[in-house]
């Protein structure tokens, strides 16, 4: 013990907690809605400082008042200060208080009285556990400082992230991705969350390789009264208005939370974009006795937004606009965006909890979601591509000099050339008078204006039902939580006519099928005529069942924490189609059910050197079954699955050192993750003669369904964060992550004709190419000033480097470079993966809250990219189309996503009680 100065401090705390007052009670201060003790909280009685809470969040207070009534104030930088009165305190009693961080409205948390002595059984005889400590500062830096670069923590794909709400696992069953749209804009519901990376000990589930986010919600923790919110910004939306009402009926054990808000931008930062979103929620908590309760939350957040496009360098240069957007155009003097996303996911959660004893708790829940999501785009049949930035419309495509110069001048000086030409689209449709025979498979005929262009809406409408049960058990130094989860998801997928764009009807024929006698998506209605609101093209459902059983075990001693976990899961996927085509057998009805089994294992150990020094190491492995979109080749038209399905295997390990003291904190660690046998699908247009296959359908090109199989990638790196506090309220912060994220296999790329049985495969020489579209090196340094009460100001300088574009797999085949000499510069142009430039940005954040006559007011200001660096690129991709004759890579150059310059966000909150 003598070797560690921190041990003497710990002993002092223990002695003061246990022996200083013969007759006393204790206060235990936690973070709001989490059992995370807060150290160094100032506790005052009648304005007199009694002391600071220790590393366990505990401070003993003498029983010296005859009336046994106390008025106590709690304060700490970074947390909201609050006062309370307590009466009828007994000797040895421990009372828990909860403080809210300065990240939103002040929340008054009801105190919880523990049984006598319960708060000091073992707490004062051991070093507090690291794994339940405060939020990871690297995750906060990833969200606030590196978020502008579209940074993915540790480079891990979003597919491996996890989002949960009060025990419910919300990842999309079909794709695995996170449905953030459920909670879109509902900051009041999501502000309390526990975030961690890579298999930390999760109470609600096993965890995952990526970012784990678990939203905690309890209406009891919200401050009573009416709360107003107003925000202005120049980001995706410009204005936000919010209203929230909270009411507690203590005697009845009822807490109510209700709110509504709207976010909008008639014209977004990207020209032609817009944003229109509403939000509403209702939460009710009912106590069922002293130890049980029911919580209900209903949330509805419809969103409509106009999208912005990626672009090649040429269009950004010609337009002079680093935020050029090709998706919009003027129609009769009104801006109209062709790519509009709409979502509406009303969701209902019902949670039950019961604390049978201090050592046994039970949780359960039922979730129901039923929603719609659509994405619009222009669809066309046998006419010119309507996109203004289509490669044949750009000056670089034109071989004649004077024509090229003329087009270049138009692009630079005539904005209409750079836009969708809605007037021409309407003109084409209104002048295309045709007679259609054998309409809908009958002997009838119909004459009218046949639309060759339409606005198509692609729908994915989910219905999700999930239920879980979970138990938490403590005995001695052991803790265990485990549970069972079952989920059923069906998602209805179809195309719908959104607008005929001036025509009378649209003929439902697939454009890319050479034999037009087989081009009907639904042979029950050949020559099917569709109008606005009708389904066309395809119509099928994806049905998925997920079942899982998990258990996490934790052992805690004075200097060691051990954790281990196991999860067993099964999923089954099935396609059900409502259209029948003449190309694929059994295209209508139910497919076979594909069943997959999974296992998950993890283990971790923490050595608590003393109250300030910690060492932690962990390992984990998972076997993940393919999801729906990785199984079925082309579910819109056929029930077939890709051959030789295999589970993805994940290996992960990390090690870290942590030091924490009142004035200095540091953490440094190394991580390793490997993902084997991944399946990734990529659908695109295949150019002629690229595939040397005897089957004429693939050899002549066309739309294809492509799948990487056996795709391995490896992520290895180091990360660190340090914070030094100085007198007068200043903090200096430094954090970063340096990794190398690469593909480490030569996968097979399976190529299927979308409208035929043709098949081919190519070996892709992908070894040591970089995982794209996230910076692999990031660094931030900041200076923070903490106001004396309730606020801070912070400025950061952040740097990002080694971000690479996504590659076209078919450029990395033997066939594509077999006639190119290795010494020819063209060989490097074909093979090399483009690295995007490095960037340095400056950001500033200010927060201040005020309390005026028991009313709370706060203002926050975020200023990003203060130096107004424009044209920064957060990512990009190589186009899938290729010039296969002379290997001219420049004909289809890379496309990029550009970032906004200077942007700001101002947020005002007012609580009216």
């Amino acid at each position: 013990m003598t070797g560690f100065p921190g041990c003497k401090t710990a002993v002092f705390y223990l002695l003061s907690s246990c022996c200083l007052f013969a007759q006393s009670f204790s206060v235990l201060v936690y973070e709001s809605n989490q059992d995370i003790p807060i150290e160094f909280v100032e506790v005052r009685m009648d304005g007199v400082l009694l002391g600071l809470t220790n590393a366990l969040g505990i401070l003993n207070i003498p029983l010296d008042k005859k009336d046994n009534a106390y008025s106590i104030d709690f304060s700490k930088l970074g947390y909201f200060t609050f006062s309370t009165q307590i009466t009828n305190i007994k000797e040895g009693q421990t009372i828990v208080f909860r403080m809210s961080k300065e990240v939103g409205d002040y929340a008054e948390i009801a105190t919880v009285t523990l049984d006598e002595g319960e708060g000091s059984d073992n707490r004062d005889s051991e070093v507090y556990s690291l794994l339940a400590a405060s939020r990871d500062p690297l995750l906060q830096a990833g969200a606030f400082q590196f978020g502008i670069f579209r940074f993915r923590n540790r480079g891990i794909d979003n597919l491996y992230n996890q989002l949960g709400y009060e025990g419910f696992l919300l990842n999309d069953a079909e794709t695995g991705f996170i449905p953030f749209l459920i909670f879109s804009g509902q900051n009041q519901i999501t502000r309390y969350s526990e975030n961690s990376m890579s298999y930390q000990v999760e109470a609600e589930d096993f965890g995952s390789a990526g970012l784990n986010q678990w939203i905690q919600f309890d209406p009891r923790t919200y401050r009573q009264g009416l709360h107003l919110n107003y925000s202005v910004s120049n980001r995706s939306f410009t204005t936000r208005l919010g209203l929230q009402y909270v009411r507690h009926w203590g005697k009845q054990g009822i807490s109510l939370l209700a709110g509504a808000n709207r976010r909008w931008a008639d014209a977004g930062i990207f020209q032609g974009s817009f944003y229109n979103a509403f939000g509403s929620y209702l939460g009710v908590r009912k106590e069922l006795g002293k130890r049980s309760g029911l919580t209900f939350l209903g949330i509805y957040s419809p969103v409509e937004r106009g999208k912005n496009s990626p672009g090649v360098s040429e269009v950004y240069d010609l337009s002079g606009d680093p935020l050029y957007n090709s998706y919009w155009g003027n129609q009769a003097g009104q801006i109209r965006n062709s790519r509009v996303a709409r979502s509406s996911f009303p969701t209902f959660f019902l949670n039950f909890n019961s604390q049978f004893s201090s050592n046994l708790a039970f949780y359960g829940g039922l979730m129901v979601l039923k929603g719609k999501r659509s994405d619009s785009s222009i669809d066309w049949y046998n006419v010119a591509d309507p996109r203004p930035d289509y490669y044949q419309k750009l000056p670089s495509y034109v071989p004649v000099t004077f024509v090229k110069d003329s087009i270049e001048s138009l692009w630079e000086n005539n904005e209409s050339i750079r836009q969708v030409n809605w007037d021409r689209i309407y003109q084409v449709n209104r002048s295309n008078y045709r007679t259609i025979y054998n309409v809908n498979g009958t002997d009838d005929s119909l004459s009218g204006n046949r639309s060759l262009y339409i606005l198509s809406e692609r729908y994915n409408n989910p219905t999700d039902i999930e239920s879980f049960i979970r138990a938490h058990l403590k005995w001695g130094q052991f803790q265990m939580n485990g549970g069972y989860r079952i989920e059923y998801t069906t998602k209805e997928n179809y195309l719908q006519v959104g607008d005929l764009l001036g025509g009378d009807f649209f003929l439902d024929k697939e454009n890319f099928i050479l034999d037009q006698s087989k081009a009907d998506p639904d042979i029950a209605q050949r020559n099917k005529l569709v109008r606005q609101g009708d389904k066309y093209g395809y119509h099928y459902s994806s049905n998925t069942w997920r079942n899982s059983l998990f258990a996490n075990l934790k052992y805690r001693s004075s200097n060691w924490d051990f954790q281990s976990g196991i999860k067993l899961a099964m999923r089954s996927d099935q396609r059900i189609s409502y259209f029948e085509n003449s190309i694929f057998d059994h295209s209508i009805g139910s497919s076979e059910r594909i069943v997959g089994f999974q296992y998950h294992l993890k283990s971790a150990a923490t050595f608590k050197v003393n109250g300030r020094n910690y060492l932690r190491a962990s390992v984990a492995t998972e076997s993940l079954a393919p999801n729906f979109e990785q199984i079925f080749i082309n579910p819109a038209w056929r029930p077939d699955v890709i051959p030789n399905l295999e589970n993805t295997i994940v290996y992960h390990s990390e090690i870290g050192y942590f030091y924490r003291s009142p004035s200095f904190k540091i953490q440094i660690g190394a991580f390793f993750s490997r993902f084997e046998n991944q399946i990734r699908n990529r659908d695109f247009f295949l150019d002629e003669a690229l595939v040397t296959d005897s089957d004429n359908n693939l050899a002549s090109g066309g739309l294809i369904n492509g799948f990487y199989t056996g795709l391995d990638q490896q992520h290895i790196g180091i990360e660190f964060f340090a914070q030094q506090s100085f007198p007068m309220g200043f903090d200096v912060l430094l954090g970063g992550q340096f990794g190398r994220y690469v593909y480490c296999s030569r996968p097979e790329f399976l190529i299927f004709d979308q409208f035929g049985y043709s098949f081919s495969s190519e070996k892709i020489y992908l070894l040591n190419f970089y995982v794209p579209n996230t910076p692999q090196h990031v660094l931030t340094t900041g200076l923070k000033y903490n106001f004396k009460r309730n606020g801070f100001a912070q400025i950061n300088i952040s740097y990002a480097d080694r971000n690479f574009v996504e590659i076209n797999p078919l450029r990395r085949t033997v066939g594509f470079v077999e006639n190119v000499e290795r010494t020819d510069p063209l060989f490097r142009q074909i093979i090399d993966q483009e690295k995007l430039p490095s960037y340095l940005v400056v950001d500033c954040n200010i927060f201040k809250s005020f309390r005026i006559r028991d009313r709370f007011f706060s203002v926050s200001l975020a200023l990003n990219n203060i130096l107004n660096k424009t044209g920064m690129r957060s990512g990009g991709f190589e186009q899938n189309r290729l010039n296969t004759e002379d290997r001219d890579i420049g004909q289809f150059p890379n496309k990029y996503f550009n970032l906004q310059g200077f942007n700001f966000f101002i947020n005002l909150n007012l609580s009216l009680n």
Side-chain angles (χ1 to χ4, degrees):
M1 182 180 294
T2 57
F4 300 102
C7 290
K8 297 180 180 179
T9 304
V11 170
F12 171 77
Y13 277 138
L14 299 180
L15 292 175
S16 65
S17 297
C18 299
C19 305
L20 184 59
F21 301 114
Q23 294 184 346
S24 65
F25 69 96
S26 300
V27 294
L28 172 58
V29 185
Y30 280 144
E31 287 195 7
S32 59
N33 213 34
Q34 301 183 76
D35 291 338
I36 299 176
I38 308 177
E39 188 179 9
F40 303 118
V41 175
E42 296 180 359
V43 182
R44 288 179 169 82
M45 183 183 298
D46 299 326
V48 177
L49 179 64
L50 298 178
L52 307 178
T53 58
N54 62 17
L56 310 179
I58 296 174
L59 178 68
N60 282 337
I61 298 176
L63 278 168
D64 60 354
K65 285 198 171 185
K66 294 181 180 180
D67 58 358
N68 206 11
Y70 299 84
S71 177
I72 303 179
D73 297 320
F74 299 85
S75 62
K76 182 182 177 179
L77 290 175
Y79 293 82
F80 287 106
T81 299
F82 74 97
S83 303
T84 187
Q85 289 188 346
I86 52 178
T87 59
N88 300 320
I89 303 303
K90 298 178 182 179
E91 179 184 349
Q93 193 171 19
T94 297
I95 306 177
V96 176
F97 297 90
R98 299 184 184 272
M99 296 181 68
S100 296
K101 282 191 172 183
E102 294 178 341
V103 294
D105 292 340
Y106 179 89
E108 185 180 46
I109 311 302
T111 60
V112 179
T113 303
L114 303 180
D115 295 335
E116 286 187 31
E118 186 177 338
S120 58
D121 285 345
N122 298 315
R123 297 173 187 267
D124 293 341
S125 61
E126 62 186 45
V127 180
Y128 182 71
S129 299
L130 170 71
L131 297 182
S134 59
R135 293 180 178 90
D136 190 338
L138 283 172
L139 294 183
Q140 293 182 316
F144 292 100
Q145 275 71 56
F146 306 141
I148 187 176
F149 306 117
R150 311 285 171 86
F151 168 74
R152 297 200 307 269
N153 211 304
R154 298 180 179 177
I156 294 177
D157 295 342
N158 295 329
L159 176 67
Y160 297 103
N161 291 345
Q162 192 178 78
L163 176 67
Y165 164 83
E166 284 292 338
F168 299 102
L169 186 58
L170 302 181
N171 290 59
D172 187 288
E174 181 179 310
T175 64
F177 290 104
I178 292 179
F180 287 112
L181 290 171
I182 293 176
F183 297 97
S184 177
Q186 310 313 300
N187 295 15
Q188 295 297 333
I189 303 299
T190 61
R191 65 177 181 172
Y192 297 122
S193 64
E194 297 181 5
N195 306 325
S196 63
M197 278 298 296
S198 302
Y199 309 106
Q200 300 291 334
V201 174
E202 306 289 346
E204 292 87 354
D205 198 77
F206 178 86
S208 66
L211 176 62
N212 297 272
Q213 300 172 272
W214 284 92
I215 298 169
Q216 309 294 328
F217 173 74
D218 187 343
R220 295 174 300 176
T221 64
Y222 288 79
R223 182 177 178 83
Q224 183 165 282
L226 187 65
H227 307 264
L228 304 177
N229 171 262
Y230 177 71
S231 307
V232 293
S233 173
N234 67 339
R235 299 177 182 174
S236 57
F237 61 86
T238 57
T239 311
R240 182 185 190 273
L241 284 172
L243 180 67
Q244 178 179 279
Y245 177 73
V246 180
R247 179 72 184 274
H248 304 296
W249 292 272
K251 293 183 178 180
Q252 291 79 17
I254 298 176
S255 295
L256 170 71
L257 170 71
N261 57 71
R262 187 190 173 199
R263 295 163 292 142
W264 73 93
D266 295 330
I269 189 65
F270 291 87
Q271 197 169 12
S273 66
F274 66 89
Y275 200 95
N276 189 20
F278 293 86
S280 60
Y281 49 90
L282 174 66
V284 180
R285 168 75 181 186
K286 170 60 178 168
E287 300 299 322
L288 305 176
K290 295 183 179 180
R291 294 182 178 270
S292 302
L294 279 174
T295 303
F296 168 83
L297 173 65
I299 188 166
Y300 179 53
S301 308
V303 178
E304 180 183 38
R305 62 183 180 89
K307 294 182 178 182
N308 56 280
S309 66
V312 298
S313 293
E314 183 179 9
V315 300
Y316 292 127
D317 295 339
L318 290 172
S319 66
D321 182 5
L323 302 181
Y324 168 73
N325 183 10
S326 67
Y327 290 160
W328 72 282
N330 274 300
Q331 181 184 345
Q334 298 293 321
I335 291 176
R336 184 176 185 180
N337 195 310
S338 64
R339 301 286 186 99
V340 177
R342 298 179 178 89
S343 64
S344 173
F345 293 146
T347 309
F348 305 94
F349 304 93
L350 182 64
N351 287 81
F352 170 77
N353 71 283
S354 181
Q355 187 82 29
F356 293 112
S357 70
S358 60
N359 295 320
L360 178 62
F362 173 82
Y363 307 86
L366 176 67
M367 180 193 80
V368 178
L369 176 152
K370 187 174 180 61
K372 285 190 174 184
R373 178 175 182 174
S374 67
D375 291 273
S376 71
S377 62
I378 298 175
D379 195 0
W380 62 94
Y381 182 88
N382 202 26
V383 283
D385 193 315
R387 293 172 294 181
D389 60 345
Y390 181 57
Y391 78 100
Q392 294 184 9
K393 298 180 180 180
L394 298 179
S396 59
Y397 179 77
V398 180
V400 182
T401 303
F402 78 91
V403 178
K404 178 178 182 176
D405 293 341
S406 176
I407 296 175
E408 186 173 311
S409 177
L410 287 172
W411 259 87
E412 292 174 342
N413 302 299
N414 187 346
E415 187 180 51
S416 64
I417 297 297
R418 308 193 295 262
Q419 299 174 357
V420 174
N421 193 336
W422 292 107
D423 291 339
R424 181 184 178 278
I425 287 174
Y426 273 77
Q427 181 182 8
V428 168
N429 286 344
R430 287 170 175 165
S431 61
N432 188 45
Y433 190 85
R434 292 289 185 271
T435 298
I436 308 300
Y437 300 95
N438 304 119
V439 173
N440 298 334
T442 69
D443 294 332
D444 297 336
S445 61
L446 181 67
S447 298
N449 292 324
R450 175 186 174 183
S451 291
L452 299 178
Y453 295 99
I454 64 169
L455 194 67
S456 174
E457 294 178 336
R458 185 176 67 255
Y459 276 88
N460 310 96
N461 301 337
T463 299
D464 195 349
I465 301 174
E466 181 180 345
S467 180
F468 77 91
I469 55 173
R470 178 169 57 87
H472 183 82
L473 176 65
K474 294 190 297 183
W475 73 99
Q477 294 172 290
F478 291 90
Q479 295 184 33
M480 187 179 76
N481 64 80
Y484 173 74
R485 176 178 290 108
I486 183 171
E487 180 181 6
Y488 170 72
T489 300
T490 180
K491 186 180 291 185
E492 187 182 12
N493 303 271
Y494 56 87
L495 292 177
Q496 180 175 293
V497 179
D499 194 332
L500 289 169
L501 303 179
D504 298 321
F505 54 80
F506 181 71
L507 181 61
D508 189 9
K509 291 277 190 179
E510 177 51 54
N511 195 23
F512 286 92
I513 296 177
L514 297 178
D515 184 354
Q516 284 292 288
S517 67
K518 297 183 177 182
D520 294 283
D522 186 5
I523 59 175
Q525 300 184 72
R526 294 184 184 273
N527 291 335
K528 179 181 178 182
L529 299 186
V530 291
R531 296 172 176 82
Q532 185 171 338
D534 291 341
K535 296 181 178 67
Y536 81 101
Y538 61 81
H539 185 197
Y540 73 95
S541 292
S542 58
N543 290 358
T544 300
W545 285 92
R546 293 194 295 191
N547 299 267
S548 62
L549 183 68
F550 75 94
N552 296 313
L553 178 66
K554 179 177 180 179
Y555 170 78
R556 188 171 70 179
S557 67
S558 58
N559 287 99
W560 285 95
D561 281 350
F562 295 100
Q563 302 90 26
S564 61
I566 184 171
K567 180 178 177 180
L568 301 175
M570 182 190 76
R571 65 175 294 146
S572 66
D573 296 270
Q574 185 178 39
R575 168 197 183 262
I576 301 176
S577 179
Y578 309 104
F579 284 179
E580 181 179 12
N581 60 72
S582 58
I583 297 176
F584 298 105
D585 297 332
H586 312 295
S587 56
I588 194 171
S590 301
S591 72
E592 64 174 314
R593 185 172 292 277
I594 307 301
V595 179
F597 296 91
Q598 303 181 174
Y599 67 82
H600 316 247
L601 301 169
K602 66 179 179 181
S603 184
T606 302
F607 176 51
K608 300 174 285 188
V609 180
N610 53 33
R612 296 184 176 182
N613 294 273
Y614 302 82
L615 293 171
R616 183 181 188 275
S618 65
V619 294
T621 183
E622 293 185 283
S623 175
L624 305 174
N627 59 45
F628 184 91
E629 71 168 12
Q630 298 168 336
I631 293 172
F632 292 93
I633 295 171
N634 181 7
W637 276 68
R638 61 193 294 191
D640 306 287
V641 303
I642 69 170
N644 303 319
L645 285 172
E646 293 185 14
N647 280 17
T648 294
I649 308 299
V650 180
Y651 301 100
H652 174 80
S653 62
E654 62 180 282
I655 188 170
Y657 166 73
F658 303 80
Y659 176 82
R660 288 173 177 162
S661 71
S663 61
F664 182 64
K665 297 178 177 65
I666 188 172
Q667 64 184 70
I668 184 169
F671 58 88
F672 170 87
S673 295
R674 187 178 177 94
F675 306 86
E676 297 183 351
N677 295 328
Q678 296 178 109
I679 300 172
R680 292 286 186 272
N681 60 321
R682 293 189 59 175
D683 303 337
F684 55 87
F685 184 84
L686 181 68
D687 290 87
E688 293 185 14
L690 182 60
V691 175
T692 56
D693 191 274
S694 58
D695 191 308
N696 290 330
N697 288 341
L698 275 180
S700 60
L703 292 175
I704 64 104
N705 301 110
F707 292 85
Y708 283 112
T709 60
L711 178 64
D712 302 347
Q713 59 192 68
Q714 182 171 290
H715 299 241
I716 187 170
I718 60 171
E719 55 193 13
F720 61 91
F721 184 87
Q723 177 178 335
Q724 175 68 61
S725 298
F726 294 94
M728 306 298 292
F730 285 97
D731 292 335
V732 176
L733 308 98
L734 177 68
Q737 192 175 98
F738 295 88
R740 185 175 186 269
Y741 319 136
V742 297
Y743 296 109
C744 50
S745 68
R746 295 188 174 100
E748 290 289 327
F749 192 70
L750 309 183
I751 302 172
F752 301 89
D753 184 2
Q754 278 197 15
F755 305 110
Y757 283 105
S758 302
F759 166 76
S760 182
S761 67
E762 295 282 343
K763 176 73 73 176
I764 309 300
Y765 287 79
L766 202 58
L767 188 65
N768 291 326
F769 280 85
Y770 292 96
V771 173
N773 293 327
T774 181
Q776 304 200 4
H777 294 175
V778 289
L779 181 67
T780 187
T781 182
L783 177 65
K784 182 179 181 181
Y785 174 68
N786 299 290
F787 302 142
K788 290 185 177 180
R789 295 182 69 88
N790 305 332
F792 67 90
Q794 181 173 333
I795 187 168
N796 278 81
I797 302 174
S798 303
Y799 170 81
D801 194 14
R802 298 194 65 76
N803 190 0
F804 298 85
V805 301
E806 184 177 2
I807 69 167
N808 178 346
L810 297 181
R811 270 173 55 177
R812 278 77 185 183
T813 61
V814 171
F816 194 75
V817 297
E818 62 181 349
N819 296 322
V820 181
E821 294 293 333
R822 298 301 187 266
T823 57
D824 190 333
L826 177 61
F827 181 82
R828 300 307 326 168
Q829 294 177 25
I830 295 172
I831 296 299
D832 288 348
Q833 182 180 17
E834 182 186 0
K835 173 185 171 296
L836 298 175
S838 59
Y839 299 114
L840 188 76
V841 298
V842 180
D843 305 312
C844 179
N845 293 277
I846 301 172
F847 175 84
K848 185 72 175 84
S849 66
F850 308 88
R851 182 176 179 176
I852 304 174
R853 294 183 179 180
D854 293 328
R855 286 169 171 78
F856 293 87
F857 173 77
S858 69
V859 57
S860 59
L861 171 64
L863 304 175
N864 296 103
N865 196 1
I866 293 175
L867 301 180
N868 193 29
K869 292 189 175 182
T870 59
M872 293 194 303
R873 291 170 176 171
S874 64
F877 57 91
E878 298 174 357
Q879 295 195 60
N880 293 314
R881 301 196 67 171
L882 291 171
N883 182 326
T884 59
E885 290 188 12
D886 55 14
R887 307 301 198 262
D888 181 7
I889 302 303
Q891 182 171 337
F892 302 102
N894 297 347
K895 287 193 172 184
Y896 307 99
F897 297 95
N898 281 6
L899 292 171
Q900 183 179 350
F902 169 74
N903 62 93
F904 66 89
F905 188 89
I906 302 173
N907 187 62
L908 306 175
N909 286 290
L910 176 63
S911 296
L912 303 173
N913 298 315

